[in-house]
Each structure stands twice: as structure tokens, then as C-alpha cells.
Amino acid sequence: YILSFASQVLLSAPITARLSVAPFTLAQALLIVCWIVLHRRRLIDAGRPAGIVMGIALIYALEVVLLVVLVAWILSATAGSSAGVGPNAGILQLFVIVYLLTLLSADPSLGALQFWIMGLVALLAIPVIIAVGFSVWAARQPSQPPGR
């Protein structure tokens, strides 16, 4: 999970300007395969069916696809823009601009945009919560004796 979180660095402006989102996608694919192998082995060791591992990995992979599509869309939308907003601009700048516009409007809430942002954050957080909860559950399963 720490490596998965650390791979978010591969979405930084210098890397995405040169290589787009390919390094992040490759890193996530490798981490998902490692996660599947680790959890399948653990469930087989516990004498449990290992099919659920693929389902949870698929949910997490769909989350990664959503994030990659979102970042690629933002990068492509800003590719032809003026200075200060382009392939070298970070996603953080988008949120800073939205925050500044909110301050200028004298309204402390973002209105409908706030619900969209909260919905996106929930969509990105739910698969991670499911995967972490499953890992904790799988780790707590007792191992079967070698003869069974």
C-alpha cells in the first residue's frame, strides 16, 4: 500500500510532461499483480477460496483506470493552453484556481462543484478502503495445518 501511494509521484508534472501517465499505469499494474499473488497465497494457506481476490483487484484496477483517464484528460485539456497552465502544470494548480475562484465569489462553499469533488474523492477512496479491509481480514485468517 505504501508503494501504491508512493507511485502517485509518477503523476507529477515533470514525469507526465515527458512520459504521460504510462509510468504510473505500469507501476500500478505491477503492484496489482503482486497484490493478487500475495493475497491468493494467503487465502490458499488459510484454506479459503481465493476467487474473491480477483474481484477486489478488478475493483481497484477500475479505480486506477478512472484516475488515469482523469489525469490524461486534464493533461490533454491543458496541452494547448497559455503559459502557467500546461503539461508542466500540476493538478494541484487546478485545485488552487478553484479555491481562489471560491474566495473571490464570497461564498464559502463551492456549491455544486463541491459535491462533484466530494463524489470523485469517494469514488477514488472506496476501492482502497475495500482492499485494505480485505487485507486485514485475510491476514487474520488462521493458517491450515500442512496435512489438510
Side-chain angles (χ1 to χ4, degrees), residues 110-128:
L110 296 175
L113 182 61
Q114 182 175 5
F115 294 114
W116 280 99
I117 292 172
M118 288 174 22
L120 180 64
V121 168
L123 278 175
L124 294 174
I126 288 173
V128 175

Side-chain angles (χ1 to χ4, degrees), residues 59-147:
I59 291 171
Y60 185 77
L62 288 173
E63 180 235 353
V64 170
V65 168
L66 173 68
L67 182 62
V68 166
V69 167
L70 180 68
V71 170
W73 178 68
I74 289 173
L75 289 175
S76 70
T78 59
S81 298
S82 61
V85 180
N88 293 329
I91 294 174
L92 179 61
Q93 289 178 342
L94 173 68
F95 292 112
V96 169
I97 290 169
V98 170
Y99 177 72
L100 290 176
L101 289 174
T102 303
L103 288 177
L104 292 175
S105 71
D107 186 11
S109 71
L110 296 175
L113 182 61
Q114 182 175 5
F115 294 114
W116 280 99
I117 292 172
M118 288 174 22
L120 180 64
V121 168
L123 278 175
L124 294 174
I126 288 173
V128 175
I129 293 168
I130 291 171
V132 170
F134 179 76
S135 294
V136 170
W137 174 82
R140 296 185 54 142
Q141 299 302 306
S143 297
Q144 294 291 329

Side-chain angles (χ1 to χ4, degrees), residues 2-58:
I2 293 171
L3 290 175
S4 181
F5 182 73
S7 72
Q8 304 284 327
V9 171
L10 297 174
L11 292 175
S12 65
I15 294 173
T16 57
R18 287 189 208 107
L19 302 171
S20 186
V21 293
F24 174 77
T25 305
L26 180 63
Q28 287 296 315
L30 290 172
L31 288 170
I32 289 171
V33 168
C34 291
W35 189 89
I36 290 170
V37 169
L38 177 72
H39 285 80
R40 280 183 57 90
R41 287 182 181 174
R42 176 64 196 114
L43 288 180
I44 290 170
D45 179 55
R48 299 273 187 167
I52 193 167
V53 172
M54 291 304 291
I56 293 174
L58 182 63

